[in-house]
């Protein structure tokens, strides 16, 4: 049985990380079928555990987008940088080495032959294929009754829903147009090439997967914050509801996470490092009580320059340190009030680098060679902001009064006087929620999602290398990726 477990892990990793050509219409011959996984899992549940670990490990694996040499291919956090640059809140403030310049200047987004378009497509469909194999090991018409099996199935469904949600944001201009063609909807491990499903069809599946996942994860065990639990599944579901305008449901599910109180809001001291006093917190430790979902990064993972920290952090041996800093948009920074503790997140070397928010704890410029600072995927503050937005839009779950209170709960920790929120209503309230979402979640891959669901137009500040001062609507085709050439050439439905 130990041999079976090792083989299953090896085959799953090979199927996900191999650089051989494997498009949607191809099932790699070295991948276990759902039946194989199910049969082995019935004999020893550790097989399914190993398969789940493989899915989570892919989220930080270098080359999981299908390349060996690129330094922008290192799992989920690779695409989080895409989001932050596409939405213009993250500025590529130097172009010495060129990584991510093709996203910042919107050239990769209009070039379907680009690897930059291919990598996230390949990454998410690899995870979807793996999740389908795991899900296929269960009978969805006769759900398991024991807690461990329900938790495994729930996590598989949640990972599949999350992957499709990312695909919809990266490859679909307008998520609100439910009749428009979107992406192929693959729900089984072994399928031939598929046509594009509509936006509505894909979102219906995303929401169905996540709703079932929430139910299955009701009492599921959780070994660490790497694993999706009920709260995380509800958070993802909230984003899916909000993306298609189901705001009352988004408000309800995010409020449920808030009300259960499993994750406290960050304190003012935890929000930023204070250089003046050489004290304070930062976003580098998965054990932070506010982090709902994240990855504990260890030496054994072998992460170094090719990582999110290797792209963004001044205190890691990184491109940000060596010549390609990632900074906050000037105009967005100017909207952070002077008494806001988050102003301290962006300081350093004459540029507004995030040296007070994201940093290796030793704080030696270029010092962290082997990365052990952790990856954040979701935190409780997101729920407060998403609840405030969707409650204000829908009038549900407390409506504008509830939205004001949630925003005020957040801002009282950040500014000296948050009473100004009491007078906000209508569009002014929504505008403030959106602004605070952009400030709060800078660098975490979420503000682009806000731009799309709120149909925003953003204007780039003067510190952008590309298109400084120019405005871009949420559905500008330059802000989403084209379906990659490899898929078009190998999928007869896309001719």
């Amino acid at each position: 049985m130990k041999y079976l477990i090792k083989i299953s892990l090896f085959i799953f990793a090979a199927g996900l990380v191999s650089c051989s050509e494997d498009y949607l219409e191809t099932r790699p011959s070295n991948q276990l079928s759902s039946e194989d996984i199910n049969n082995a899992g019935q004999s020893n549940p550790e097989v399914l555990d190993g398969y789940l670990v493989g899915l989570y490990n892919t989220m930080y694996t270098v080359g999981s987008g299908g390349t060996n040499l690129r330094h922008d291919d290192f799992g989920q956090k690779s695409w989080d940088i895409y989001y932050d640059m596409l939405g213009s809140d993250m500025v590529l403030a130097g172009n010495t080495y060129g990584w991510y310049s093709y996203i910042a200047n919107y050239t990769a987004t209009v070039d379907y032959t680009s690897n930059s378009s291919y990598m996230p497509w390949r990454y998410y469909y690899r995870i979807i294929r793996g999740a389908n194999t795991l899900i296929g090991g269960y009978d969805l018409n006769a759900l398991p009754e024991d807690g461990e099996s329900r938790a495994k199935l729930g996590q598989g469904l949640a990972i599949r829903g999350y992957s499709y949600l990312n695909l919809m944001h990266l490859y679909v201009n307008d998520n609100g147009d439910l009749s428009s063609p979107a992406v192929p909807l693959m729900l089984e491990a072994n399928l031939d090439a598929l046509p594009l499903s509509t936006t509505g069809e894909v979102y219906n599946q995303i929401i169905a997967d996540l709703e079932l996942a929430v139910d299955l994860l009701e009492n599921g065990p959780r070994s660490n914050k790497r694993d999706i639990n009920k709260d995380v599944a509800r958070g993802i579901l909230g984003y899916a509801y909000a993306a298609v305008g189901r705001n009352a449901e988004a408000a309800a599910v995010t409020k449920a996470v808030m009300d259960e109180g499993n994750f406290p809001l960050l304190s003012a001291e935890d929000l930023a490092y204070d250089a003046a006093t050489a004290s304070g917190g930062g976003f580098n430790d998965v054990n932070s009580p506010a982090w709902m979902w994240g990855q504990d990064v260890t030496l054994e993972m072998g992460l170094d320059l090719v990582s999110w920290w290797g792209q963004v952090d001044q205190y890691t041996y990184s491109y940000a340190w060596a010549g390609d800093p990632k900074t906050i948009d000037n105009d967005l920074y100017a909207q952070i009030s002077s008494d806001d503790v988050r102003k301290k997140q962006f300081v350093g070397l004459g540029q507004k680098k995030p040296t007070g928010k994201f940093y290796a704890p030793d704080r030696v410029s270029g010092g962290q060679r082997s990365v052990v600072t952790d990856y954040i995927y979701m935190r409780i503050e997101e729920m407060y902001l998403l609840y405030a937005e969707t409650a204000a839009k829908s009038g549900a779950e407390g409506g504008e009064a509830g939205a004001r209170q949630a925003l005020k709960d957040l801002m009282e920790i950040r500014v000296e006087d948050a009473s100004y929120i009491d007078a906000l209503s209508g569009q002014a309230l929504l505008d403030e929620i959106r602004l605070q979402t952009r400030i709060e979640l800078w660098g975490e891959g979420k503000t682009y999602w806000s731009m799309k669901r709120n149909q925003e137009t953003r204007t780039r500040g003067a510190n952008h290398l590309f298109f400084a001062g120019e405005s871009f609507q949420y559905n500008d085709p330059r802000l989403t990726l084209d379906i990659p050439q490899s898929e078009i050439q190998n999928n007869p439905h896309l001719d």
Side-chain angles (χ1 to χ4, degrees):
M1 184 52 61
K2 288 181 180 178
Y3 174 76
L4 249 183
I5 294 170
K6 290 178 180 178
I7 289 296
S8 69
L9 286 170
F10 169 76
I11 291 176
F12 182 69
L16 290 179
V17 182
S18 166
C19 287
S20 62
E21 299 297 328
D22 58 338
Y23 308 102
L24 291 189
E25 76 278 5
T26 304
R27 177 195 170 196
S29 60
N30 63 350
Q31 187 172 3
L32 291 173
S33 69
S34 295
E35 184 179 2
D36 296 332
I37 294 293
N38 181 254
N39 290 338
Q42 289 180 2
S43 301
N44 190 331
E46 290 183 25
V47 172
L48 294 178
D49 291 337
Y51 214 78
L52 263 178
V53 170
L55 284 169
Y56 288 123
N57 287 355
T58 305
M59 293 183 69
Y60 66 79
T61 297
V62 173
S64 54
T67 69
N68 280 331
L69 300 177
R70 291 184 63 117
H71 289 195
D72 56 351
D73 182 6
F74 43 82
Q76 177 61 40
K77 300 302 288 184
S78 306
W79 327 130
D80 284 352
I81 295 176
Y82 274 33
Y83 289 133
D84 287 319
M85 288 191 174
L86 289 173
S88 294
D89 285 343
M90 179 181 282
V91 175
L92 179 64
N95 197 21
T96 304
Y97 299 94
W99 295 112
Y100 288 99
S101 61
Y102 32 82
I103 297 298
N105 67 15
Y106 296 155
T107 56
T109 55
V110 295
D111 180 6
Y112 80 121
T113 69
S114 168
N115 254 337
S116 301
S117 179
Y118 169 63
M119 291 185 300
W121 182 274
R122 187 180 182 94
Y123 167 83
Y124 284 115
Y125 274 111
R126 282 175 161 178
I127 291 184
I128 288 166
R129 184 185 296 114
N132 285 342
T133 302
L134 179 61
I135 294 165
Y138 296 90
D139 182 354
L140 296 184
N141 295 312
L143 296 174
E145 296 183 0
D146 67 284
E148 287 195 11
S149 295
R150 291 174 68 86
K152 292 183 182 70
L153 176 56
Q155 289 174 79
L157 288 163
I159 291 170
R160 184 170 74 180
Y162 178 70
S163 297
Y164 273 118
L165 186 59
N166 278 273
L167 283 169
M168 295 301 288
H169 281 94
L170 281 171
Y171 291 92
V172 177
N173 283 346
D174 188 349
N175 283 253
D177 182 0
L178 299 182
S179 63
S180 63
V183 298
L185 187 57
M186 181 172 65
L187 300 178
E188 299 176 24
N190 312 318
L191 284 175
D192 293 331
L194 297 170
L196 300 180
S197 294
T198 67
T199 296
E201 289 169 338
V202 178
Y203 268 103
N204 285 342
Q205 187 62 51
I206 291 170
I207 289 170
D209 280 353
L210 291 166
E211 287 178 338
L212 181 53
V214 170
D215 290 340
L216 290 167
L217 291 165
E218 178 66 37
N219 298 306
R222 190 188 201 192
S223 59
N224 57 58
K225 288 186 181 179
R226 173 205 65 196
D227 301 344
I228 293 175
N229 69 353
K230 181 180 179 180
D231 285 330
V232 173
R234 289 192 294 196
I236 302 169
L237 178 59
Y239 280 117
Y241 282 143
V244 291
R246 294 171 61 172
N247 293 308
E249 291 158 290
V253 75
T254 49
K255 190 173 187 297
V257 177
M258 294 160 51
D259 288 348
E260 287 195 4
N262 294 325
F263 303 93
L265 290 168
L266 288 166
S267 67
E269 292 75 20
D270 290 332
L271 282 165
Y273 181 85
D274 187 339
T277 62
S279 64
F283 292 73
N284 49 30
D285 188 350
V286 75
N287 293 311
S288 168
W291 287 28
M292 298 170 59
W293 187 25
Q295 178 63 54
D296 180 16
V297 176
T298 65
L299 283 175
E300 289 72 23
M301 295 174 182
L303 299 186
D304 47 34
L305 176 65
V306 187
S307 66
W308 186 90
W309 292 94
Q311 287 288 348
V312 177
D313 178 34
Q314 172 71 24
Y315 300 108
T316 295
Y317 182 76
S318 69
Y319 290 103
W321 161 72
D324 289 2
K326 316 303 188 293
T327 68
I328 187 173
D329 177 273
N330 268 352
D331 293 346
L332 180 60
Y333 178 80
Q335 294 182 80
I336 307 175
S337 64
S338 59
D339 66 334
D340 191 327
V341 67
R342 294 172 299 180
K343 204 87 169 179
K344 299 174 183 176
Q345 292 178 343
F346 303 99
V347 294
L349 303 181
Q351 294 176 312
K352 300 173 182 66
K353 296 182 179 182
T355 54
K357 182 174 184 179
F358 301 111
Y359 58 87
D362 287 346
R363 297 187 66 84
V364 175
S365 288
Q368 180 180 224
R369 290 291 187 118
S370 297
V371 171
V372 292
T373 39
D374 297 335
Y375 280 165
I376 184 170
Y377 300 142
M378 183 182 292
R379 59 184 171 103
I380 190 62
E381 286 78 10
E382 297 176 43
M383 300 298 100
Y384 277 74
L385 289 161
L386 188 57
Y387 163 73
E389 176 191 317
T390 53
K393 286 179 177 177
S394 66
E397 299 294 331
E400 286 196 347
R404 281 191 293 270
Q405 188 58 57
L407 184 60
K408 195 171 181 180
D409 289 343
L410 203 74
M411 293 305 296
E412 284 178 334
I413 300 171
R414 288 151 179 75
V415 299
E416 295 174 4
D417 183 4
S419 62
Y420 74 94
I421 294 171
D422 296 332
L424 299 178
S425 62
Q427 191 60 47
L429 176 59
L430 283 172
D431 288 346
E432 183 67 12
I433 294 167
R434 292 169 187 167
L435 172 62
Q436 298 307 328
T437 297
R438 292 176 66 189
I439 296 169
E440 182 69 24
L441 301 179
W442 186 94
E444 297 177 49
K446 301 289 171 53
T447 65
Y448 175 76
W449 291 19
S450 174
M451 179 186 185
K452 296 196 80 169
R453 68 176 178 265
N454 289 299
Q455 301 185 353
E456 295 177 35
T457 296
R458 292 186 183 170
T459 302
R460 290 190 165 189
N463 59 330
H464 281 265
L465 294 179
F466 311 102
F467 304 116
E470 295 191 32
S471 299
F472 298 89
Q473 291 185 324
Y474 74 98
N475 58 354
D476 189 310
R478 289 172 291 181
L479 269 62
T480 49
L481 301 172
D482 290 334
I483 293 176
Q485 180 184 36
S486 57
E487 182 64 26
I488 293 173
Q489 290 179 335
N490 290 277
N491 187 337
H493 299 286
L494 303 184
D495 290 341

